[in-house]
């Protein structure tokens, strides 16, 4: 299989087929990232298309930092485009718009949860919760960066994450209880 470095060299050499190989190699991954933010496939496809326009037009400016850095760069562009889409098409609810869930210190056993079920649960979270969960857990962004991207205070990002975790834990417990019944 062609390495990222070889692929980038082919692109830099002006090989147009290399752009297609870039798309073919990362389109599935990029769609998975988009679907984490936008569970509606039509919206995710819009973000995917917009992301690849950006990727294919700026790949010449990408600075290679070792195998995997191209994939990370693609994922970051898709994440940013998904957040941009959410800001343009939906209003994030403020923290006070969502009622408090009862405190429960026991974490659910997510090891018993199929990955597709967990992703569906994340997809059902309100957009602001889903976005913070994705950026913090999957993209491993610090709350400071999430806050900057979303235009909120760092404490708001932390609060959204905490509430998203609580809401997700409730969904997981309900699912596991239904499986045990």
């Amino acid at each position: 299989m062609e390495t990222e470095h070889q692929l980038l060299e082919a692109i830099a050499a002006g090989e147009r087929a290399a752009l297609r190989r870039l798309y073919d190699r990362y389109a599935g991954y990029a769609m998975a990232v988009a679907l984490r933010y936008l569970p509606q496939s039509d919206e995710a496809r819009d973000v995917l298309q917009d992301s690849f326009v950006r990727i294919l037009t700026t790949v010449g400016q990408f600075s290679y930092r070792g195998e995997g850095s191209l994939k990370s760069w693609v994922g970051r562009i898709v994440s940013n485009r998904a957040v941009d889409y959410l800001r343009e098409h939906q209003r994030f609810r403020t923290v006070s718009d969502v009622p408090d869930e009862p405190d429960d210190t026991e974490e659910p056993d997510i090891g018993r949860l199929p990955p597709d079920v967990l992703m569906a649960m994340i997809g059902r979270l309100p957009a602001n919760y889903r976005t913070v969960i994705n950026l913090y857990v999957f993209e491993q962004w610090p709350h400071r960066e999430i806050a900057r991207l979303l235009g909120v205070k760092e404490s708001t990002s932390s609060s959204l994450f905490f509430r998203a975790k609580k809401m997700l834990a409730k969904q997981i417990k309900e699912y596991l209880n239904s499986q045990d019944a």
Side-chain angles (χ1 to χ4, degrees):
M1 181 176 187
E2 183 177 40
T3 66
E4 286 183 348
H5 191 255
Q6 291 167 329
L7 179 59
L8 289 166
E9 285 178 341
I11 291 169
E15 187 182 321
R16 295 202 42 85
L19 292 173
R20 179 60 192 203
R21 292 195 307 273
L22 172 69
Y23 176 83
D24 290 343
R25 184 171 182 169
Y26 294 116
Y29 166 72
M31 184 63 163
V33 171
L35 284 167
R36 284 198 325 247
Y37 293 88
L38 301 156
Q40 302 296 329
S41 59
D42 290 342
E43 294 173 332
R45 276 193 289 276
D46 288 346
V47 166
L48 180 70
Q49 180 180 352
D50 185 43
S51 297
F52 267 98
V53 167
R54 173 124 172 104
I55 290 164
L56 296 175
T57 58
T58 62
V59 69
Q61 300 164 15
F62 172 72
S63 178
Y64 180 73
R65 294 187 178 103
E67 198 64 27
S69 62
L70 180 61
K71 182 178 182 180
S72 288
W73 180 71
V74 167
R76 185 127 182 164
I77 288 175
V78 175
S79 294
N80 285 332
R81 292 291 179 215
V83 170
D84 290 345
Y85 183 94
L86 285 167
R87 276 198 306 244
E88 290 171 16
H89 294 89
Q90 299 178 16
R91 291 280 182 220
F92 286 123
R93 292 190 298 194
T94 61
V95 176
S96 60
D97 290 341
V98 180
D100 285 329
E101 296 292 323
D103 274 337
D104 191 349
T105 56
E106 186 181 328
E107 294 286 324
D109 181 11
I110 66 168
R112 294 181 40 212
L113 203 64
D116 59 325
V117 172
L118 178 60
M119 294 313 290
M121 289 176 180
I122 292 171
R124 288 192 297 270
L125 293 173
N128 54 347
Y129 288 14
R130 185 174 59 244
T131 301
V132 172
I133 282 271
N134 281 308
L135 291 170
Y136 189 78
V137 174
F138 296 107
E139 308 297 333
Q140 299 182 343
W141 286 26
H143 284 295
R144 176 181 32 80
E145 288 297 314
I146 296 169
R148 182 191 54 75
L149 180 67
L150 299 180
V152 298
K153 295 178 183 175
E154 190 172 338
S155 60
T156 300
S157 175
S158 297
S159 180
L160 288 168
F161 177 71
F162 175 73
R163 288 175 179 241
K165 261 181 50 174
K166 285 172 51 175
M167 189 177 280
L168 196 55
K170 181 180 177 189
Q171 288 183 48
I172 291 168
K173 287 176 184 176
E174 288 171 358
Y175 174 84
L176 293 175
N177 288 340
S178 74
Q179 297 300 303
D180 292 340

